[in-house]
Amino acid sequence: MSSVVVREADVQLSNNQKDFIVKALLEEIRVDGRRPHDYRKVSFQYTLDDSSCTVLLGQTRVLSVVTAALEAPYPDRPNEGSLRFNVEFSPMASPNFEPGRPTENANELARLIERGLRETKAVDLEALCVLAGRKVWSLRVDVHILDHNGNLADAASLSALAALLAFRRPEVTLEAGGGGEGQQVVVHPPDVREPLPLSIHHTPLCITFASFQAGELMVVDPNLEEEAAASGLMTVIMNAFGELCAVQKTSGIGLPATEVMRLIRLAEQKAKQLSEMLQASLKKHDVERVQARIRRHNHTPSAPQLQGRAVTVLNSSDVIGGGARLRQLDSGTDDSDLVSTSESESDDQEMESEGEDQIENGNAADVEMVSTSGNVADNMTAEGYKDSQSQVSSAVTHAKANWRQARPPKAADVKQEQPDPDLQNGVAFIAGMGEGLNTSLEDAVKPAAQRNKRSKIGK
């Protein structure tokens, strides 16, 4: 068989490649290792602003963004909002996509999503009415194809549905306007009032099948190569309740009614599985959204409140004064009001106990208090609280050690030195000489009459 390259919509395949894919399916094996009725791995990525969702179906990536605006309703439906879809094929998703106006394939995919979400009344449009006949919410869903690896219908519809389920619209109230203007619409920001979710009745999901060999072989969730080699595609829209919403035969050969019914029953099972995965991802996103709101409002639970403490640093000049200096710092008195303390053993022990107590309580310090009242930190975490406790404990221990080294010696520790006998004799001799010297000087300064009288008496 000659190998002829054929041009498909999004990929080029040779006849040999097509034959290989078909022969593998006959053995119930697909080129990517899946079974014929297996879906590729599905993952959801939501943004914390509740406006978009990215769905990754295998290597197919689709981003959907929801925006809301207050607009005037349609004249024929004054009590209903509007819901519009726009699909954009990004050039980075596939080399066959070109920028500019939406192509026919993009418009066809947008109509398919509208059939599943808007025409089936999945979104309650009456709940989008704010002021009948004047203001309603207009929703716009922009679907961006980021990576194309097959089955864009399932990925795009799933992304649009997940974005609508995660979307939160601002809350509005009506207030009486001045000057006879009637009621005015006030839109509250998310920081003032919590946004509201949309009212969605059911979750329709697209399940796409690819047929091979005139419909004898059917696979679920075809990739890009399988779509190029398939003889036809069919999409079934089902919800989680097992209700058939729509069926679309996009291309290829026709299928008998019995085969269509078999595919509908298979689509019901796949729709329930996708719905469970979607609900699980939404629950996880709700938890993350609540945590982000708590962090935004600074309502994180604080650690036990830690009162301000002072670190005691005593100098040698402070401790020479003994317990009086410590009592002065504690009571706030001046140096002039200090009362001298005795150097007895009892006073020394009292000084030591008082000094250690002051250090323990963190009140006796020659430095200013870091914080005399209040909390060190209102929003301190548990790790920060433990660190501060360890720092305070080490500082107090260091201050106690410095105080013990710098404190004056106890009376019992000071040895009384015995006076030297030779030194005492020398002092007495010098004192005697001083007394004799004083007597001679007195006699020298007496009047002459007294000196003569004393001398006569002596004779």
Side-chain angles (χ1 to χ4, degrees):
M1 180 182 298
S2 62
S3 177
V4 179
V5 177
V6 295
R7 177 71 178 181
E8 297 293 340
D10 299 311
V11 69
Q12 293 180 351
L13 288 181
S14 64
N15 291 337
N16 291 338
Q17 290 175 320
K18 288 185 176 182
D19 294 339
F20 176 79
I21 293 174
V22 173
K23 289 180 180 180
L25 291 176
L26 291 174
E27 299 180 3
E28 296 187 353
I29 299 176
R30 301 169 72 170
V31 292
D32 53 4
R34 292 181 292 160
R35 309 292 291 179
H37 297 164
D38 291 344
Y39 245 89
R40 287 174 291 181
K41 182 179 179 181
V42 182
S43 61
F44 302 84
Q45 297 176 0
Y46 301 90
T47 56
L48 295 179
D49 58 354
D50 303 327
S51 63
S52 64
C53 175
T54 302
V55 170
L56 188 62
L57 180 59
Q59 295 182 357
T60 300
R61 188 187 303 268
V62 180
L63 168 66
S64 296
V65 181
V66 182
T67 56
L70 287 174
E71 297 180 356
Y74 292 108
D76 56 341
R77 295 181 178 180
N79 297 329
E80 292 184 0
S82 61
L83 178 61
R84 292 173 293 178
F85 295 91
N86 178 50
V87 178
E88 178 185 356
F89 284 10
S90 175
M92 67 180 181
S94 174
N96 296 320
F97 296 162
E98 296 180 358
R101 300 184 61 181
T103 61
E104 182 180 355
N105 293 332
N107 294 331
E108 183 180 357
L109 182 58
R111 288 193 295 267
L112 177 63
I113 298 175
E114 288 182 357
R115 291 182 61 188
L117 294 176
R118 189 177 66 182
E119 296 182 7
T120 59
K121 308 297 182 181
V123 180
D124 188 1
L125 298 181
E126 293 183 358
L128 301 177
C129 180
V130 178
L131 190 59
R134 292 181 54 187
K135 292 295 182 181
V136 295
W137 285 108
S138 176
L139 302 181
R140 176 187 174 94
V141 182
D142 293 307
V143 181
H144 303 273
I145 309 299
L146 303 180
D147 290 319
H148 178 27
N149 192 35
N151 199 7
L152 290 179
D154 293 13
S157 64
L158 187 60
S159 176
L161 177 60
L164 289 173
L165 289 172
F167 178 72
R168 299 291 186 273
R169 64 172 180 83
E171 185 176 356
V172 296
T173 56
L174 299 178
E175 296 182 358
E181 296 181 357
Q183 293 180 326
Q184 294 182 353
V185 179
V186 179
V187 180
H188 300 281
D191 296 338
V192 177
R193 292 192 179 183
E194 184 67 18
L196 302 176
L198 300 178
S199 178
I200 298 180
H201 300 300
H202 61 98
T203 57
L205 299 169
C206 293
I207 310 297
T208 301
F209 299 92
S211 61
F212 297 87
Q213 290 189 343
E216 295 181 0
L217 296 176
M218 302 296 295
V219 297
V220 180
D221 182 25
N223 58 20
L224 192 59
E225 290 79 9
E226 291 173 344
E227 285 184 352
S231 57
L233 297 175
M234 188 181 76
T235 301
V236 180
I237 302 178
M238 301 281 295
N239 60 17
F241 304 106
E243 298 173 347
L244 179 62
C245 300
V247 177
Q248 180 170 348
K249 185 71 171 62
T250 56
S251 62
I253 62 175
L255 297 175
T258 55
E259 186 67 17
V260 173
M261 294 303 298
R262 187 178 72 87
L263 295 180
I264 291 176
R265 289 192 296 269
L266 182 59
E268 180 182 356
Q269 301 176 3
K270 298 301 178 182
K272 291 182 179 179
Q273 296 176 4
L274 289 178
S275 179
E276 292 176 357
M277 290 187 289
L278 176 60
Q279 296 299 330
S281 66
L282 288 172
K283 290 181 180 180
K284 183 179 179 181
H285 170 65
D286 290 339
V287 174
E288 296 176 353
R289 185 173 58 84
V290 171
Q291 292 176 352
R293 186 173 71 250
I294 292 175
R295 289 193 298 267
R296 184 172 65 249
H297 292 285
N298 294 329
H299 286 167
T300 53
S302 59
Q305 297 181 353
L306 177 65
Q307 299 294 333
R309 302 188 64 177
V311 179
T312 306
V313 180
L314 298 180
N315 299 326
S316 59
S317 60
D318 297 333
V319 297
I320 291 299
R325 177 60 176 168
L326 296 177
R327 284 191 293 271
Q328 176 210 9
L329 294 174
D330 188 31
S331 59
T333 58
D334 298 331
D335 292 338
S336 59
D337 298 335
L338 293 178
V339 181
S340 60
T341 58
S342 63
E343 296 180 357
S344 61
E345 181 177 358
S346 60
D347 291 340
D348 291 338
Q349 292 177 355
E350 179 182 359
M351 176 192 66
E352 180 179 358
S353 60
E354 289 182 1
E356 292 184 355
D357 292 340
Q358 296 294 338
I359 294 174
E360 289 286 351
N361 296 329
N363 297 324
D366 213 16
V367 295
E368 296 181 355
M369 294 285 290
V370 177
S371 174
T372 56
S373 64
N375 301 329
V376 175
D378 295 335
N379 297 326
M380 182 182 295
T381 60
E383 290 79 7
Y385 177 72
K386 293 181 180 179
D387 294 342
S388 62
Q389 286 286 68
S390 61
Q391 292 176 3
V392 170
S393 178
S394 61
V396 171
T397 304
H398 181 67
K400 291 173 63 177
N402 293 340
W403 186 88
R404 290 193 181 95
Q405 294 178 1
R407 68 179 179 84
K410 297 180 181 180
D413 298 338
V414 179
K415 296 183 179 180
Q416 300 292 336
E417 297 183 355
Q418 298 297 331
D420 190 359
D422 296 337
L423 181 60
Q424 290 181 350
N425 295 335
V427 171
F429 175 75
I430 293 173
M433 291 180 63
E435 292 178 358
L437 181 61
N438 292 335
T439 303
S440 300
L441 290 175
E442 290 177 359
D443 294 340
V445 298
K446 285 181 180 181
Q450 293 183 359
R451 290 198 303 270
N452 295 335
K453 185 178 179 179
R454 182 178 295 176
S455 60
K456 291 179 179 181
I457 294 172
K459 293 178 179 180

